[in-house]
Amino acid sequence: MFFDKLRAGAQGTTSKIILGLIILSFALAGVGSYVTRPVVEVAAVVNGDEISAQALENAYRNERARLEAQLGPQFSQLLGDPAYVEQIRRSVLEQMVEQRLIDQKVQELKLRASDEQVRNAIRSLPEFQQDGRFSNERYQQLLARSGLSPEQLRDSVRQDLSRQMLLDALVGSSFTLEAEAGWLDRLSRQQRDAEYVRLPMADFSTRAAPGDEEIEAYYQRQPQLFQRPEQVKINYVLLDAGMASVADVAEQAVEDYYQANLAAYTQAEQRRVAHIMINKGRDAEQKLQAIAERLAAGEAFAELARTESDDAFSGAGGGALEWMEQGTMDPAFDKAAFALGEVGEVSGVVESEFGLHLITLLERRPAETKPLAEVRDSIAERLAREDAANAFYAQEQRLAELAFEFPDSLDIAAQELGLEVKSTDYFSTQDAPAEISDPRVLTQAFSAHLREQGVNSDLIELGSNRAIVIHVTEHRPAAVRDFAEVREQARELALAAKARELATEAAAQLQQAWSRGEQQAWLEQHGLAVTELSGLTRESEEEPALLDALFAMPAPAEQPSLRTLALAGGDQLVLKLNRVTTPEDSSELLSQIREGQSGMLGQREYLSLIEALKAEGKIEYRRLAAQTDNF
């Protein structure tokens, strides 16, 4: 009865309309699944050309790897600062935008590197060099491993060379007049005679004795000098698994690992072959068959490779390639090379991605397996690292779970894992205890979220099988310290300020006396003496600040050339320039100076070009931050 009513209802007009709508919705959903595609996220658009977010991510990761190799462990600490990470990413994107602008200008000017330039550039790439020479074998292997075709590499190199043509044109068009270079040459070899009087800060410190009122007034005038930085107290649990001992690794485990990974300790069979290659084309196979017939008639393989092979790189060496292992070359080439049975045997025609080949076997090295005794220590060390990492991972996961499940305290997590809850006194980002002085920890310790919510932090990985969870217990905002707390510091600063003031006044008095020719009496009164300097050059072994000041002073004329210089330590110098000697003849450095100046002008013109292209172009920045940044 029920099914009869259901069947009858399905034949009604209303049911048919509903059913039709359902079918239509499924049909549209199905069509949509075929016509829609994932939206490619865009980081920036440069005059209509898109820079994808994935391209930015790849370039950012390459830059991170470069900086990590350059800076080492210090880079890991810098990555704890989100502002630093954002700065790197923004810099990378800006470089990509500038490169796109240059590429567009190259295309507009129709600059294009020649095939010969591209070929020579590829041959000189260090990645393809072996023993100081281009290795065709290495070239083919690296292309195969990277998934690049020769055409893709060629186009990439051509683009780089074309871009360099524009940059070279900018630098090459810059020049410095010989008169300008000569002036710089003579100026660089200029000599100066001078004398000076040093007024030591220590002499005035003994005469400066600020009273209590002066000290407090200094405190009131300079509150920023007595600022207490933002501080926190935290509890934390540190998980440090360290490194398992090699002595704890069982001998059986070493042997089992060796047997299970025997291939890793086996040097596969290696072969050295030579080939004759003909580029693919209508008559390529017939041409290669003709060469095969000449080989059969007794002509030398190496000589035919030199004269007939389209692979000019290997052809110059008789077609010989470097040692190869099975699976490292084009599959068809690889299969044919390892099918050869005897040295001197020649294959039939082999078609690879690169062309048609005849291959001959030159040498063969049999497979060789390292004995267990030779690799036992390295296996034991590896297993020890794995044991430590496994133990750490299990504890790390449990610590993260407990810290999240019981967010108000670290006691339960510490108790279950047998760890200690440690507490700190107040500290700032500048004086954090050594054990927690890590940017990743400090970022969490001073975050408003942990402070306001009163919860445990997420687990923070510190590397080397170490991790930490923290809980902020107290917070003290930045504020000016009470005068009573910093009285001694204020006294020392006020004393130094008054001593500097006295030294500055004395230096001004000496300069005035010197300008009137009355310096000798003043010096005798204050127990000071003149130091003479003769034949000073810009490279003389004097204080850099002194040299900079002397070479910035005008040559003496009717009035003496005098000036006062305050040194970093507080000492004051009163300088008197007596004579300037400038050579009249040019030196052997003239050409270098001219070349250097031209390079500097070229660099300025390049930067000007970039600024002009940015000003004229339409650049839209859409997405800078990564979806995730794992440190």
Side-chain angles (χ1 to χ4, degrees), residues 171-192:
V171 175
S173 64
S174 301
F175 64 91
T176 300
L177 295 175
E178 186 170 352
E180 294 175 325
W183 178 78
L184 288 172
D185 175 35
R186 293 191 297 274
L187 187 62
S188 68
R189 295 181 290 119
Q190 189 180 83
Q191 294 184 351
R192 297 195 166 203

Side-chain angles (χ1 to χ4, degrees), residues 432-501:
E435 196 167 52
I436 60 171
S437 186
D438 184 290
R440 291 162 288 193
V441 178
L442 297 179
T443 298
Q444 292 292 318
F446 288 88
S447 68
H449 170 71
L450 292 188
R451 183 168 67 247
E452 294 169 359
Q453 299 296 323
V455 296
N456 297 328
S457 72
D458 293 334
L459 184 132
I460 306 168
E461 294 188 1
L462 303 178
S464 302
N465 292 341
R466 297 171 69 248
I468 192 173
V469 177
I470 68 172
H471 189 101
V472 179
T473 57
E474 293 186 51
H475 173 258
R476 191 156 62 182
V480 178
R481 292 184 173 95
D482 293 336
F483 178 67
E485 182 183 351
V486 296
R487 179 188 298 274
E488 185 58 30
Q489 180 187 0
R491 189 193 72 80
E492 293 177 0
L493 292 175
L495 174 63
K498 190 167 184 178
R500 281 194 300 272
E501 182 180 346

